[in-house]
């Protein structure tokens, strides 16, 4: 199922349900992510650190395991959106 949210829109992805997101506009998108229960912010901080340090795959695997996150893929392509 593909849900498209325009500026100011809202989408909900329940915990443990595989999901992804992409910005389809010409300008970079902005995302407000609310995670309940608390703890997602620690994952996002770790992910930010990994990206800023060059994207080490082993570090990402360790972060995902520690955060109970499973990457499924391949990544979403804009051609998948239509």
């Amino acid at each position: 199922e593909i849900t498209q949210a325009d500026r100011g829109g809202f989408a909900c992805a329940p915990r443990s349900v595989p999901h992804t997101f992409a910005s389809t506009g010409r300008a970079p998108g902005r995302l407000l992510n609310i995670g309940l229960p608390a703890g997602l912010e620690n994952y996002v901080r770790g992910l930010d650190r990994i990206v800023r340090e060059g994207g080490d795959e082993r570090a990402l695997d360790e972060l995902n395991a520690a955060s109970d996150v499973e990457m499924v893929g391949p990544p979403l392509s804009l051609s998948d959106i239509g």
Side-chain angles (χ1 to χ4, degrees):
E1 176 182 344
I2 294 177
T3 300
Q4 185 168 339
D6 293 326
R7 181 180 221 167
F10 173 82
C12 178
R15 185 179 185 138
S16 299
V17 173
H19 59 278
T20 190
F21 52 88
S23 176
T24 60
R26 293 176 190 230
R30 291 177 34 175
L31 172 72
L32 172 63
N33 196 331
I34 301 172
L36 295 171
L40 180 64
E41 67 279 8
N42 298 321
Y43 176 76
V44 173
R45 284 186 191 112
L47 188 59
D48 178 64
R49 179 186 49 77
I50 291 168
V51 169
R52 282 187 287 113
E53 292 175 357
D56 179 61
E57 192 168 336
R58 181 171 176 217
L60 179 59
D61 290 343
E62 291 171 359
L63 175 65
N64 287 340
S67 305
D68 196 27
V69 170
E70 180 184 0
M71 296 273 182
V72 294
L76 184 66
S77 167
L78 293 182
S79 64
D80 295 331
I81 297 170

